[in-house]
Amino acid sequence: MHTLRTIALCTLLLSPNLYAETNSATLESQAAERATEFATTLKSALGAAIKQGDLVEGINVCKIQAPAISDSLSTDGWTVARKSTKNRNPNNKPDDWEAEKIAQLVDMIRNSESIDNVTFSTNKDGQFRFAKAIKVAPVCLNCHGQTIAPEVKQALSEHYPHDLATGYRLGDLRGIFSITKTLETSEP
């Protein structure tokens, strides 16, 4: 009987921790799915626009469709965004937590560590936060690279007069997907 009480007591004491770990894993999985959906949808729209029109049309996708994609995935308490310290759109400037995660990724790259599958997450102040690296892919170099066609430069300067998002090389860290969920709190 003593053993049964001990097991019951341990179960009660460990249950909140087990629930928190399970809940965090679920939130991480859901956040990762949203980041993947954002990347896949944007890449598809960008590829179609470039194929149908040209690179200047691709700029319109990033300016108009990327925020719409973000908004479409920002449901059920989730907020989905892209953030960068070298932002093109000033609305994509990172907050302190996001800037810290970007700095950690930059340090990892400096130390020749792979960032391909690196994610960060935390539960703090009633929010679950998740970050995943965005690396520069070949298509990105057309508008974010070191050599940009004159007509693309012109369009970028018209759309983004304070653009900081150029000079990248293939595989560089472009920024992060920043996914946040407001957590439900139980009120007394």
Side-chain angles (χ1 to χ4, degrees):
M1 189 60 143
H2 179 67
T3 304
L4 188 55
R5 272 189 249 163
T6 303
I7 291 172
L9 182 60
C10 287
T11 302
L12 284 173
L13 292 173
L14 293 175
S15 292
N17 289 338
L18 183 59
Y19 173 76
E21 287 176 20
T22 303
N23 193 38
S24 286
T26 300
L27 290 170
E28 284 181 24
S29 175
Q30 292 172 351
E33 287 173 16
R34 287 177 189 267
T36 299
E37 179 70 19
F38 192 122
T40 303
T41 304
L42 181 59
K43 184 177 180 183
S44 175
L46 187 57
I50 292 170
K51 188 175 184 177
Q52 199 171 41
D54 56 17
L55 291 173
V56 173
E57 198 56 42
I59 294 168
N60 291 327
V61 167
C62 287
K63 181 174 180 155
I64 298 164
Q65 289 188 33
I69 294 166
S70 174
D71 290 346
S72 74
L73 295 169
S74 296
T75 60
D76 304 319
W78 289 98
T79 303
V80 178
R82 296 175 301 158
K83 301 294 179 166
S84 177
T85 52
K86 286 180 61 178
N87 55 66
R88 177 158 282 164
N89 180 339
N91 294 331
N92 294 343
K93 184 178 179 184
D95 64 20
D96 290 343
W97 185 82
E98 294 160 336
E100 177 186 315
K101 300 310 158 200
I102 291 169
Q104 288 176 336
L105 289 165
V106 168
D107 285 344
M108 291 176 72
I109 292 168
R110 273 193 210 117
N111 292 325
S112 300
E113 297 175 48
S114 173
I115 61 167
D116 289 344
N117 297 309
V118 175
T119 62
F120 301 99
S121 65
T122 188
N123 286 312
K124 187 175 180 183
D125 300 327
Q127 288 191 323
F128 171 79
R129 303 207 57 190
F130 176 89
K132 181 177 179 13
I134 301 171
K135 289 176 59 176
V136 174
V139 71
C140 305
L141 294 173
N142 293 305
C143 298
H144 294 283
Q146 295 176 335
T147 306
I148 300 172
E151 66 277 7
V152 174
K153 276 186 185 180
Q154 178 64 35
L156 287 171
S157 68
E158 290 171 11
H159 288 292
Y160 303 103
H162 305 290
D163 185 14
L164 303 174
T166 59
Y168 288 99
R169 292 183 304 246
L170 186 63
D172 281 353
L173 178 68
R174 172 70 187 91
I176 60 169
F177 291 107
S178 178
I179 319 288
T180 305
K181 181 168 179 75
T182 301
L183 302 174
E184 294 179 17
T185 57
S186 52
E187 307 259 339

